[in-house]
Amino acid sequence: MTYLSRLRSISFFKLKEIDLRFNLIKDLDTILEIGCFPGGWTQYILSNYKDLKLISIDKKQINSFRSNDFYFIKGDIFDANIISIIRKVVKSNFNLIISDACINISGINAVDTINYILLIKRILLISKVFLIKGGNLLFKIMLGGLEYKIKQMFRPFLKIDFIRLACTKNRSSEVFVYCRFLRF
Ligand SMILES: C[S@@+](CC[C@H](N)C(=O)[O-])C[C@H]1O[C@@H](n2cnc3c(N)ncnc32)[C@H](O)[C@@H]1O
């Protein structure tokens, strides 16, 4: 561990795996991270990349990182004023948005599907406001059966990949959706 001696979460290795496979972060200037607590992804980025501005949001307070390149916003992405709060922190748009946020799974498929769609709609809206043209988005889903809907919703992106990680347990439905090249 290069940034801090203690690992914030094993999600550190999930982002590492995606980054090594897809060159997710190389050569970027600015990243917006949604759902950062307790900070494993944040730690991965700050440990491995310099000269990159990272803005991270979570409903829960994280123990901050001592870095001039990092800014934490405590907030809910469904809050009506979250867009203006983010805009106050950065004037320019982001190259990449990453989200590890998930809903509270109830086990009732119809309810979970609606809640997941609301969450990814919100992530899509934030991406349309804050991504540069040609920018990329990575987000997590924990529910099967949404692939077709996601392909339709995320048509503003040129390419969409569904990524299953080697470190994900066999029975888990965790999949990362990597949307590349925002067109409009
Ligand atoms: C799986 S954890 C993230 C783990 C993190 N990526 C890491 O590496 O440590 C998901 C986080 O998303 C946050 N979250 C879920 N819904 C959110 C929302 N609407 N607004 C802000 N944060 C949210 C939760 O509070 C939770 O801390």
Side-chain angles (χ1 to χ4, degrees), residues 4 17 49 52 55 67 72 83 88 101 103 115-116 153 173:
L4 280 177
E17 185 179 330
Y49 294 92
L52 175 157
I55 314 296
S67 164
F72 173 68
I83 303 279
K88 269 190 202 141
I103 60 155
N115 286 337
Y116 240 110
M153 286 172 68
S173 49

Side-chain angles (χ1 to χ4, degrees), residues 106-118:
S106 72
I108 303 167
N109 195 267
V111 173
D112 292 338
T113 302
I114 290 169
N115 286 337
Y116 240 110
I117 287 172
L118 289 176

Side-chain angles (χ1 to χ4, degrees), residues 26-86:
K26 198 173 162 228
D27 298 332
L28 301 185
D29 303 321
T30 47
I31 300 179
L32 177 66
E33 179 188 15
I34 297 170
C36 64
F37 176 91
W41 284 16
T42 318
Q43 188 175 30
Y44 173 77
I45 295 168
L46 295 176
S47 311
N48 289 284
Y49 294 92
K50 306 291 165 222
D51 303 322
L52 175 157
K53 199 173 177 62
L54 174 63
I55 314 296
S56 301
I57 305 173
D58 205 291
K59 293 191 276 195
K60 294 185 206 158
Q61 180 66 46
I62 64 160
N63 289 329
S64 201
F65 291 88
R66 254 190 255 144
S67 164
N68 293 333
D69 300 322
F70 173 66
Y71 191 92
F72 173 68
I73 297 171
K74 184 171 184 290
D76 189 318
I77 58 161
F78 286 99
D79 280 355
N81 56 358
I82 197 74
I83 303 279
S84 56
I85 293 173
I86 300 170

Side-chain angles (χ1 to χ4, degrees), residues 144-178:
L146 287 177
E147 284 78 1
Y148 180 71
K149 180 86 184 155
I150 288 172
K151 277 185 183 161
Q152 282 187 319
M153 286 172 68
F154 287 80
R155 268 185 305 209
F157 291 88
L158 199 63
K159 190 168 183 344
I160 301 175
D161 285 304
F162 293 87
I163 306 168
R164 201 164 157 84
L165 300 182
C167 60
T168 299
K169 289 181 190 134
N170 276 348
R171 282 190 352 222
S172 166
S173 49
E174 179 179 81
V175 169
F176 290 88
V177 185
Y178 185 28

Side-chain angles (χ1 to χ4, degrees), residues 94-147:
F94 297 90
N95 305 112
L96 173 71
I97 297 180
I98 54 177
S99 171
D100 202 13
C102 54
I103 60 155
N104 291 323
I105 301 280
S106 72
I108 303 167
N109 195 267
V111 173
D112 292 338
T113 302
I114 290 169
N115 286 337
Y116 240 110
I117 287 172
L118 289 176
L119 175 65
I120 60 182
K121 264 190 181 162
R122 191 70 181 160
I123 293 170
L124 179 60
L125 173 88
I126 291 172
S127 302
K128 284 177 171 173
V129 174
F130 286 109
L131 266 185
I132 59 163
K133 201 173 170 203
N136 298 336
L137 164 69
L138 175 84
F139 66 91
K140 178 174 77 175
I141 48 170
M142 296 285 291
L143 201 65
L146 287 177
E147 284 78 1

